[in-house]
Amino acid sequence: MKSLTNCAISIITPTRNERETIPTLLNELQIALAGIPAEVLIIDDSDDDTPNVIKRVTKKMRGSLSVRCVHRKPGPDRAGGLSSAVCLGLAEAKADYVAIIDADLQHPPQMLRNLYEEAYEHNADVVMATRYKAGGSYEGLDGVSRKLISMGMKWTAKILFPETLKSVSDPLGGFFLIRRSIISGVELRPIGYKISLEILVRGKWSIIREVPYQFHARIGGQSKADFKQGFMALQHMWRLICEVPHAARIWKFLLVGFCGTVINLAAFTYLLHIGAAEWFALIIGAELGTLNNFTLHNLITWRDKRSTSLGGLAQNALKFHLSSSMSIIANFLLYALLRHFIAFPLLDNAVAIMLAMIVNYTLADTFVFVDRGAISKMFQSLRGKKVIPDEAQSATLAEAQPVGAQK
């Protein structure tokens, strides 16, 4: 099989008993990527003659498309299924850009060129093919139940990881392209089929683009999606929450805040019960709640930004007390303002508390728990940054344009 030393895009295609569709897939990829040096990495878990079909098709192919098949034998090599197949493909890929596409033709191969050109034109780290934007469709999903499960899992992921997925309409889609460097040094530990979620949450990306597409009905082979895969997706989300510090940070913040409120109210109630003055019970309860919140935020919510030195820890504790005081003041001011317009104390207080929590979260994230190492590196890079003259910059950009991207 052909091998390319100068590859613009690597396409990873996991296969399992896809003998019916693989010839069409490879032919359409060759047409779609004409003029672009590309490689197709087929990670095959088939029990039929799919590998032989791949060999027969690739012998007849001409052009700049390289095809390589890695067949995994039954047993431990296949552990992890599709996700581990994609991870193996990512390790084997040679190009700066890597795309993942299913072999069952539900992902239209002709769209790959669109993803590649979108990445180049916008300097994107990730380009997601989406079924959930204007011009896209998920009608290819089999039956009402699959559509409901797909929509339910999509919104579960978006609710659990709002900071990461706020601009992603199809976070669990299996058709996407990434810059390979965003997973450099990142240990991928997916469960089930949702490798896109793993890369989006763990990857080091900043620019994401979306391209709508029509999700086609299955032409051949059998669907691997079932309720077991849905349960595995939930397990996967839980693993990401536990292992990735920034994942679901807002929910960790709210859980810690709830614990602090319980401690605050318990201390307040106990001190009143033993005859302490109300003002004293209020202060002690608030302080115990604040100390609890700071400790748990330091250990859980912002563990990726916590200070390891005693001085840094004390400084963060003081800043957290200050930010908590500011959120309390914001709570009182918002309550007073709402009471002026709405004569419903419980509703006013509930809205004021929610807005104050937003203030508290923002201050904690931007003022208290700050990654000093990242800030130091940023200033160092700014001091050492060299300005490229216009003519030289133009020449650099011209040289950087990938083959086949010109229109």
Side-chain angles (χ1 to χ4, degrees):
M1 297 182 188
K2 295 186 291 293
S3 177
L4 294 176
T5 56
N6 210 357
C7 190
I9 178 173
S10 299
I11 300 106
I12 299 171
T13 304
T15 56
R16 181 172 173 79
N17 302 336
E18 310 282 2
R19 67 181 310 278
E20 298 173 25
T21 58
I22 202 72
T24 304
L25 173 71
L26 292 176
N27 288 331
E28 292 195 11
L29 284 175
Q30 188 170 31
I31 295 169
L33 299 172
I36 301 177
E39 64 169 352
V40 179
L41 297 169
I42 301 173
I43 312 300
D44 182 65
D45 290 351
S46 298
D47 297 318
D48 62 7
D49 65 339
T50 297
N52 293 329
V53 173
I54 295 169
K55 289 178 182 178
R56 286 199 302 269
V57 174
T58 53
K59 283 180 180 178
K60 300 175 183 178
M61 292 174 63
R62 298 292 183 270
S64 58
L65 188 67
S66 166
V67 180
R68 183 154 51 103
C69 177
V70 178
H71 179 70
R72 303 197 298 182
K73 295 180 180 179
D77 288 349
R78 294 186 185 179
L82 182 144
S83 290
S84 66
V86 172
C87 290
L88 176 58
L90 290 169
E92 295 282 335
K94 297 181 177 68
D96 290 336
Y97 281 111
V98 182
I100 288 83
I101 184 171
D102 286 350
D104 56 16
L105 301 179
Q106 291 189 289
H107 300 152
Q110 62 270 23
M111 287 294 298
L112 269 175
R113 192 181 193 100
N114 301 57
L115 301 186
Y116 176 63
E117 292 180 349
E118 186 78 9
Y120 169 72
E121 290 175 10
H122 299 277
N123 194 31
D125 300 308
V126 181
V127 180
M128 298 292 298
T130 176
R131 299 164 288 181
Y132 300 108
K133 276 196 168 181
S137 169
Y138 58 91
E139 292 304 315
L141 289 171
D142 300 327
V144 176
S145 61
R146 276 205 66 194
K147 291 176 182 177
L148 290 175
I149 291 172
S150 176
M151 289 291 290
M153 297 307 294
K154 163 197 161 180
W155 282 108
T156 300
K158 285 181 70 67
I159 289 169
L160 285 176
F161 309 105
E163 301 105 319
T164 303
L165 304 180
K166 61 185 176 184
S167 60
V168 184
S169 63
D170 199 356
L172 304 183
F175 188 20
F176 58 96
L177 176 146
I178 64 168
R179 195 192 306 273
R180 191 156 54 98
S181 59
I182 72 167
I183 56 169
S184 176
V186 175
E187 182 185 5
L188 298 178
R189 285 168 40 82
I191 300 175
Y193 285 13
K194 305 307 178 184
I195 187 66
S196 57
L197 181 64
E198 178 78 4
I199 290 173
L200 287 170
V201 174
R202 293 189 192 265
K204 299 172 287 188
W205 56 271
S206 57
I207 301 174
I208 188 167
R209 300 287 297 181
E210 293 190 320
V211 176
Y213 82 105
Q214 305 281 329
F215 186 73
H216 294 167
R218 175 177 287 274
I219 294 176
Q222 295 182 344
S223 174
K224 288 82 177 174
D226 52 25
F227 283 101
K228 180 182 177 182
Q229 288 299 325
F231 179 69
M232 291 174 73
L234 293 175
Q235 288 182 298
H236 185 194
M237 293 179 199
W238 177 246
R239 172 180 282 183
L240 288 171
I241 290 172
C242 294
E243 293 185 355
V244 183
H246 66 264
R249 205 189 300 270
I250 184 64
W251 295 111
K252 295 171 184 175
F253 171 82
L254 292 174
L255 179 61
V256 169
F258 175 76
C259 294
T261 300
V262 170
I263 290 173
N264 185 334
L265 293 175
F268 175 74
T269 303
Y270 174 75
L271 289 172
L272 288 182
H273 178 72
I274 62 175
E278 186 174 342
W279 64 267
F280 180 77
L282 279 169
I283 292 173
I284 297 300
E287 179 59 22
L288 290 176
T290 300
L291 288 173
N292 168 82
N293 289 359
F294 173 72
T295 301
L296 292 182
H297 284 324
N298 205 57
L299 293 175
I300 300 172
T301 315
W302 280 280
R303 69 180 188 269
D304 54 325
K305 296 182 179 181
R306 66 186 176 201
S307 176
T308 55
S309 66
L310 185 60
L313 191 65
Q315 185 181 13
N316 282 357
L318 289 173
K319 289 196 293 183
F320 187 77
H321 275 76
L322 178 61
S323 67
S324 297
S325 300
M326 292 176 69
S327 66
I328 291 171
I329 293 171
N331 188 2
F332 286 143
L333 291 176
L334 289 167
Y335 176 76
L337 181 64
L338 291 169
R339 286 288 286 130
H340 182 71
F341 295 102
I342 306 172
F344 192 14
L346 184 60
L347 176 62
D348 296 336
N349 196 26
V351 173
I353 288 172
M354 285 190 290
L355 293 174
M357 287 181 70
I358 294 173
V359 172
N360 196 5
Y361 178 81
T362 303
L363 287 172
D365 194 49
T366 59
F367 172 64
V368 180
F369 298 100
V370 181
D371 189 345
R372 293 177 176 82
I375 293 176
S376 176
K377 288 178 183 178
M378 181 184 71
F379 280 114
Q380 288 176 7
S381 65
L382 287 174
R383 284 197 297 267
K385 188 176 182 180
K386 296 180 180 179
V387 179
I388 301 174
D390 291 345
E391 293 180 3
Q393 188 174 20
S394 300
T396 302
L397 289 173
E399 291 172 3
Q401 182 159 336
V403 177
Q406 295 92 342
K407 293 186 176 178

